[in-house]
Amino acid sequence: MKALAKLKAEPGIWQTEVDKPDVGPNDVLIKIKKTAICGTDVHIYKWDEWAQNTIPHGMVVGHEYVGIVESMGSEVRGFKVGDRVSGEGHITCGYCRNCRAGRVHLCRNTIGVGVNRPGSFAEYLVIPAFNAFKLPDNIPDNIAAIFDPFGNAVHTALSFDLVGEDVLITGAGPIGIMAAAVARHVGARHVVVTDVNPYRLDLALKMGASRAVDVSKQHLKDVMAELGMTEGFDVGLEMSGVPSAFSSMLDTMNHGGKIAMLGIPPSSMAIDWNKVIFKGLIIKGIYGREMFETWYKMASLIQSGLDLTPMITHEMPMERFAEGFDIMCSGQSGKVILNW
Ligand code: NAD
Ligand code: ZN
């Protein structure tokens, strides 16, 4: 079958032929319809230090997709051939303390689809049936194809009560923008998004941010004053991984504020701990999505009118993957979808 794989230890990704994956007794075989390019795929494409240390030679990449169940193992219950699915990309062990307690997103032995095992940039993908998510009919394919990063946004945004709160989102990447849309949809008051990329700040405004702040040109505190915010943000969602963005968040949080951190800093990051202590801040780390409460909420948010369509700025046949990666690397895009 056709696939996109990391065939060389250098920047790039290559189209190749690989064997159709074997289906174990607890697995489903998914015929991929659409995949989306994730920031993680861009790291693998660019072959940064993390990718060099993580990705085995020849790995089939990709983990954002929608497809159709084509066959399944003898032990699988709850799915049938023809079901339209997306899937949770974190494969968990099932035997650690958290897994056994049902806190599966906190598994300490998580394996990543398209990172540690073959991914979805392929005609077919095999995952445990446990990880497959059956899609309601009224979720369009393009939206289902970005459920994985949408899940990061939903998990982070719904970590704390947002109703009537002032929310700061640092980083208007695809995940930050979708988090802004969620915050608006569930009833936050001001949703302020920061970035240094005008294209993405513009998209954040289209998706429901009250204000989009280019921190290379404007002071966040001036914007807060314009909005009549005299105290500070109630909830912070860190979605850039940039240390200066996180420190501006610590500066502008109200006392008792709550921060959910999704962005991955490049290395260890120094902060002013006095801000955390004397403001009494609560900081929560976020990894992946809750299985499967986040998936349930994602479907419900779309069904209740949250429109992610403007997030999908580019769509093309998979053969044009090089162009798709170039667009993602340029920062002049929302999500880029490849049709298989
Ligand atoms: P992205 O790289 O597209 O977005 C990051 C954004 O931050 C970019 O738009 C960039 O211009 C912006 N930025 C740069 N400097 C800034 C500054 N000073 N202030 C504010 N913004 C600034 O990434 P994404 O795909 O949207 O993901 C967001 C973050 O979450 C990344 O760090 C990614 O690695 C991380 N991530 C974490 C998980 C997890 O499970 N914890 C999952 C997926 C992604
Ligand atoms: Zn586990």
Side-chain angles (χ1 to χ4, degrees):
M1 64 173 188
K2 272 187 302 194
L4 302 180
K6 195 73 199 178
L7 297 182
K8 297 181 198 170
E10 61 185 60
I13 189 163
W14 294 268
Q15 186 175 335
T16 185
E17 285 288 320
V18 298
D19 291 340
K20 201 168 160 179
D22 293 332
V23 187
N26 294 302
D27 294 337
V28 289
L29 175 73
I30 300 168
K31 178 149 181 43
I32 297 293
K33 289 173 84 175
K34 289 167 180 280
T35 56
I37 302 175
C38 173
T40 303
D41 304 325
V42 172
H43 287 290
I44 297 170
Y45 180 84
K46 289 184 174 165
W47 204 231
D48 66 9
E49 200 183 322
W50 168 83
Q52 291 176 33
N53 292 330
T54 312
I55 305 299
H57 175 79
M59 177 60 74
V60 173
V61 183
H63 57 272
E64 300 180 357
Y65 59 90
V66 60
I68 304 289
V69 172
E70 187 164 287
S71 70
M72 64 191 81
S74 56
E75 299 300 314
V76 174
R77 302 287 176 271
F79 289 91
K80 59 182 191 316
V81 169
D83 279 346
R84 198 169 62 105
V85 294
S86 184
E88 170 54 54
H90 287 180
I91 312 261
T92 51
C93 76
Y95 57 78
C96 73
R97 176 177 175 181
N98 283 317
C99 279
R100 287 172 64 90
R103 297 183 294 261
V104 183
H105 63 293
L106 298 175
C107 174
R108 51 190 295 123
N109 305 310
T110 299
I111 300 277
V113 170
V115 174
N116 313 111
R117 56 179 271 160
S120 60
F121 288 159
E123 285 177 90
Y124 292 94
L125 171 73
V126 161
I127 54 168
F130 176 79
N131 283 61
F133 181 78
K134 196 168 157 176
L135 293 155
D137 289 341
N138 52 7
I139 310 282
D141 274 350
N142 272 358
I143 303 302
I146 61 168
F147 256 29
D148 174 293
F150 179 41
N152 294 132
V154 169
H155 182 190
T156 314
L158 299 187
S159 286
F160 300 112
D161 181 11
L162 299 183
V163 179
E165 303 289 45
D166 292 338
V167 180
L168 172 64
I169 301 175
T170 46
I175 301 177
I177 298 174
M178 288 191 277
V182 173
R184 170 59 62 230
H185 189 76
V186 304
R189 183 171 65 166
H190 298 309
V191 181
V192 177
V193 180
T194 66
D195 204 295
V196 290
N197 175 335
Y199 179 99
R200 286 179 156 179
L201 286 167
D202 194 46
L203 194 50
L205 281 177
K206 282 194 191 116
M207 293 296 295
S210 337
R211 292 293 293 264
V213 184
D214 184 338
V215 288
S216 67
K217 300 201 173 78
Q218 215 179 356
H219 287 295
L220 186 52
K221 285 188 177 158
D222 293 341
V223 173
M224 292 165 71
E226 284 168 31
L227 290 171
M229 288 180 58
T230 50
E231 299 199 342
F233 290 99
D234 306 300
V235 177
L237 310 177
E238 205 311 292
M239 304 209 145
S240 71
V242 175
S244 62
F246 183 47
S247 89
S248 75
M249 178 175 280
L250 294 174
D251 271 343
T252 52
M253 294 301 294
N254 197 2
H255 288 231
K258 302 178 184 84
I259 296 178
M261 291 188 76
L262 178 95
I264 303 171
S267 57
S268 64
M269 170 166 76
I271 61 165
D272 181 355
W273 282 99
N274 284 312
K275 300 234 165 75
V276 177
I277 295 161
F278 292 110
K279 288 187 176 191
L281 300 179
I282 292 171
I283 303 181
K284 179 186 178 191
I286 304 286
Y287 183 47
R289 298 141 295 274
E290 283 190 20
M291 295 165 230
F292 282 81
E293 270 306 282
T294 303
W295 289 82
Y296 179 86
K297 299 262 186 185
M298 281 192 264
S300 304
L301 286 163
I302 303 292
Q303 288 170 324
S304 63
L306 178 65
D307 183 13
L308 293 182
T309 318
M311 283 310 300
I312 297 160
T313 53
H314 299 79
E315 186 177 356
M316 58 196 66
M318 65 75 55
E319 286 78 9
R320 282 167 51 199
F321 66 90
E323 183 186 337
F325 272 89
D326 283 347
I327 292 167
M328 272 305 276
C329 292
S330 75
Q332 305 295 300
S333 74
K335 293 301 294 185
V336 177
I337 292 205
L338 304 175
N339 291 315
W340 286 76

